[in-house]
Amino acid sequence: MTKQPLVVFIHLDLGIGGAESLVLNLAKATLQQPSSDPNNSDDEPSGKISIYTTHCSPTHCYDEVKPPNGPLYPFVNVCGSWIPRKLFFGGTALCSALRMLYLTYRAIKDNPQANVFVIDVLPTGVPYLVNYCNVRAGILFYCHFPDQLLTMDTVNGERGSSGGNNSSNNGGFMIRLLKHLKRLYRGILDKT
């Protein structure tokens, strides 16, 4: 019998959506019986899995991970739920990157023998695994929607357009200042 590969899935929030469906389908496929020998009565799955997430609500998730009877529920590890989703002034992308980095840290700490890491949505954990952990496992990164497009400030398809010119009052100054701060904040995150 060959050694079963350990596949570790890292997904920020395990709710209901396309990315979650992909992760769960990949996890189920990893656990499926090998079909090459129909006479094989061995009940061993083709691989082992572990799923890491910062959030999995029992009322808003797929049945596969729903406690207590979901077939994938025993493989779900909720870690880092204490890390905020955003700060008082925003910072959602920064908090998401920190949450993903923490998830990656926990996944490698708990599974140093993993054969493959599947990282979904944010690539923050990829350089950590490659450069700092010297992981020899395969790394698959999947991004179903570019993060930059989630935070673009657009109106009618134009970047940074506003409905009127309020530059003469303090409100206009504050809006321009906040836009510049957001551009700086996103610039730093996008360059790292």
Side-chain angles (χ1 to χ4, degrees):
M1 182 173 159
T2 60
K3 182 183 172 199
Q4 297 172 328
L6 172 59
V7 181
V8 178
F9 297 91
I10 303 172
H11 185 78
L12 207 53
D13 292 316
L14 209 53
I16 296 177
E20 291 83 358
S21 179
L22 173 74
V23 167
L24 298 180
N25 285 336
L26 288 173
K28 288 187 295 188
T30 304
L31 289 176
Q32 281 183 348
Q33 311 289 325
S35 59
S36 60
D37 184 8
N39 298 326
N40 186 1
S41 62
D42 190 6
D43 288 331
E44 288 291 318
S46 59
K48 301 177 200 170
I49 64 164
S50 193
I51 302 171
Y52 283 80
T53 185
T54 59
H55 181 77
C56 184
S57 170
T59 60
H60 187 74
C61 66
Y62 285 106
D63 290 339
E64 288 90 346
V65 294
K66 197 169 283 194
N69 298 325
L72 297 178
Y73 173 71
F75 304 103
V76 175
N77 303 286
V78 179
C79 308
S81 58
W82 51 271
I83 302 171
R85 291 175 184 246
K86 65 179 182 175
L87 303 173
F88 295 112
F89 57 86
T92 305
L94 175 64
C95 289
S96 294
L98 292 173
R99 290 167 53 220
M100 193 61 144
L101 192 59
Y102 180 74
L103 275 179
T104 307
Y105 162 77
R106 284 294 304 270
I108 188 66
K109 180 181 173 213
D110 297 347
N111 302 282
Q113 74 287 4
N115 300 96
V116 177
F117 287 91
V118 178
I119 298 177
D120 187 26
V121 181
L122 289 177
T124 314
V126 174
Y128 176 71
L129 286 172
V130 172
N131 297 326
Y132 300 108
C133 298
N134 295 320
V135 170
R136 298 209 184 274
I139 299 171
L140 172 66
F141 169 67
Y142 167 74
C143 178
H144 67 290
F145 193 81
D147 177 54
Q148 291 178 349
L149 297 179
L150 294 174
T151 60
M152 282 180 57
D153 186 18
T154 60
V155 174
N156 297 325
E158 296 177 15
R159 214 177 230 283
S161 114
S162 62
N165 187 359
N166 295 330
S167 59
S168 61
N169 60 27
N170 282 342
F173 171 76
M174 288 304 292
I175 289 171
R176 285 195 326 272
L177 177 64
L178 289 173
K179 283 185 178 184
H180 288 297
L181 288 174
K182 181 178 179 180
R183 191 174 298 132
L184 176 66
Y185 159 77
R186 284 304 311 191
I188 293 169
L189 286 176
D190 294 340
K191 296 289 183 210
T192 56

